[in-house]
Amino acid sequence: MADEVIELIDISFRHKIPQPKFTNPWRTRNGPGIFKMNFSLKRGKILGLVGPNGAGKTTLLRILAGIIPIDDGTIKLNGVDLSLSGKAIDEQLRLNVGHMPEQVRWAGNTSVVETLNQFAEMREESVSSMKLLALVGLTTKSDSALDELSQGMRQRLSLAVALMGSPKIILLDEPFNGLDPVAAKSVEKMIRELANNGVSIIISSHQVSGLVDLIDRLMLIHRGQIVAEGTIGDIESRLGLDNRIDIRGRGKIPNLAQFFETGDIIHTENLDDSWNCTVQNPGPTAIKTIIDAGYEIIEWRKKSPDIVELLCHATGLELEDIGMELQSSNMMPLRSTMEEE
């Protein structure tokens, strides 16, 4: 499709883990990676890539950035199969994709502008380092040594390098790490402006909440596989996590069942002088009914699922089975949202 800037079809990659033997000291075995992954990214859209530690987020971004090769599958760029174009796949990806890793250890006495100039020399086309610094808000630090930069400034410098060459696709691995709220809002604004200008963006994160108002679609991955993909609203609805509200009240907790005849009470908590509950499908008049009955409501708000809830519902695994650590490479999700159990 003309709108699809990049498309991955049955992509697989396994990290090679050393497993030496006396007769073969260079022997390796297949480790974690990504497995039969299929997705596409449309022009000017922002995709949120979310998963726990070890899910395969960084591996996927490195494949898209042309850093590591795939074992199997097809990558299409603007509808063209890169394996059939006559050029090396990694070279074609690097020409079109800008990559901002999660952590770049910028250090030394080299100045910020000198560092950018060194990267610019690797590009065939002309690059204006000062324009890039202005874009990411580092103009006043152009002559500062790398050792003098804060973590947030280092993030901005990494973003400037990713934007070098005006790439059509930008990969951002935890771009808000180390940024104060003001700087984070500035980066968000920049991301939206890039998308409005036709740049396609993938943002990798451990959290869903920080991406809700920024991304067009969410892709949830776990143990190297996509377990849910679509708009956040679609995923919540498909997993039965939509239309939930948190209610907090003052005083003694009422008999909530009488106010939510059509809803499901998911959680309640009775504190010394207050109470709270989570209800799914509460009905349009439930809050008013509670207040009319003489109970004081302090606040109510929509409850969005966190990553653990999404993973549990998307994979069919229990909380204790999900974990947030690197999983064994042979442990696959128990179910996919695209198939029946």
Side-chain angles (χ1 to χ4, degrees):
M1 295 181 183
D3 258 359
E4 292 176 340
V5 178
I6 195 165
E7 184 179 3
L8 273 62
I9 304 170
D10 289 335
I11 293 297
S12 294
F13 170 83
R14 301 288 292 275
H15 292 281
K16 304 304 178 185
I17 298 176
Q19 195 175 47
K21 296 179 67 176
F22 180 75
T23 56
N24 185 4
W26 295 279
R27 181 172 178 263
T28 62
R29 65 177 176 86
N30 286 332
I34 59 174
F35 309 89
K36 296 293 181 180
M37 190 170 285
N38 293 273
F39 80 92
S40 61
L41 181 63
K42 294 184 180 297
R43 182 172 288 102
K45 297 299 181 181
I46 304 173
L47 174 70
L49 177 64
V50 177
N53 295 330
K57 302 188 300 299
T58 297
T59 296
L60 176 58
L61 293 187
R62 288 176 177 173
I63 287 173
L64 292 171
I67 298 173
I68 56 178
I70 57 175
D71 294 334
D72 296 294
T74 301
I75 300 178
K76 291 184 177 182
L77 195 64
N78 296 316
V80 177
D81 185 343
L82 295 184
S83 65
L84 304 177
S85 65
K87 295 183 179 179
I89 293 176
D90 58 347
E91 179 184 353
Q92 296 176 77
L93 289 171
R94 288 196 293 269
L95 287 172
N96 290 274
V97 179
H99 181 215
M100 175 183 169
E102 180 179 0
Q103 290 185 346
V104 180
R105 302 186 184 280
W106 300 110
N109 294 321
T110 307
S111 72
V112 171
V113 69
E114 288 172 341
T115 300
L116 274 187
N117 287 337
Q118 290 172 2
F119 279 93
E121 289 174 359
M122 304 180 199
R123 294 277 178 173
E124 295 181 359
E125 69 278 8
S126 176
V127 174
S128 173
S129 297
M130 292 308 297
K131 284 185 178 180
L132 284 172
L133 291 177
L135 185 62
V136 299
L138 278 180
T139 303
T140 58
K141 296 293 181 179
S142 61
D143 295 323
S144 298
L146 297 178
D147 284 340
E148 299 174 10
L149 300 181
S150 67
Q151 175 60 26
M153 293 174 185
R154 288 184 169 92
Q155 289 288 86
R156 291 170 184 245
L157 179 56
S158 297
L159 181 57
V161 175
L163 293 172
M164 194 169 285
S166 302
K168 304 301 181 185
I169 302 168
I170 299 287
L171 312 176
L172 305 176
D173 198 349
E174 300 288 353
F176 303 110
N177 278 1
L179 298 182
D180 59 70
V182 174
K185 287 295 182 184
S186 176
V187 172
E188 283 185 22
K189 180 181 178 182
M190 188 188 314
I191 290 172
R192 289 192 179 93
E193 289 175 350
L194 288 168
N196 289 336
N197 289 326
V199 178
S200 305
I201 301 169
I202 298 179
I203 304 175
S204 173
S205 177
H206 293 91
Q207 303 294 332
V208 179
S209 57
L211 302 177
V212 170
D213 297 324
L214 181 60
I215 63 176
D216 297 299
R217 298 180 72 80
L218 173 69
M219 188 164 76
L220 183 68
I221 68 173
H222 182 52
R223 300 178 186 174
Q225 292 183 328
I226 300 173
V227 294
E229 196 272 335
T231 67
I232 293 179
D234 287 344
I235 293 175
E236 289 181 2
S237 178
R238 198 157 60 238
L239 298 179
L241 296 172
D242 58 331
N243 196 22
R244 301 187 302 168
I245 62 169
D246 281 330
I247 306 171
R248 188 159 66 95
R250 183 174 285 116
K252 184 179 179 181
I253 187 169
N255 178 14
L256 294 169
Q258 63 181 310
F259 302 116
F260 303 113
E261 296 179 359
T262 61
D264 297 320
I265 301 173
I266 300 171
H267 166 78
T268 61
E269 185 177 16
N270 194 9
L271 306 174
D272 291 338
D273 59 351
S274 64
W275 55 271
N276 57 67
C277 70
T278 302
V279 183
Q280 187 166 23
N281 301 318
T285 62
I287 299 296
K288 182 178 184 302
T289 304
I290 296 175
I291 295 174
D292 289 346
Y295 295 97
E296 182 179 356
I297 301 294
I298 301 173
E299 67 173 346
W300 68 91
R301 59 185 175 184
K302 179 184 177 182
K303 177 177 175 58
S304 296
D306 59 26
I307 185 174
V308 176
E309 285 183 294
L310 288 171
L311 284 171
C312 287
H313 283 74
T315 62
L317 297 173
E318 298 297 330
L319 176 60
E320 57 269 21
D321 296 322
I322 287 286
M324 295 302 283
E325 299 298 330
L326 185 65
Q327 302 290 337
S328 171
S329 61
N330 62 350
M331 295 177 66
M332 294 292 97
L334 296 185
R335 72 180 182 199
S336 163
T337 56
M338 303 301 293
E339 299 176 353
E340 295 295 331
E341 287 186 86

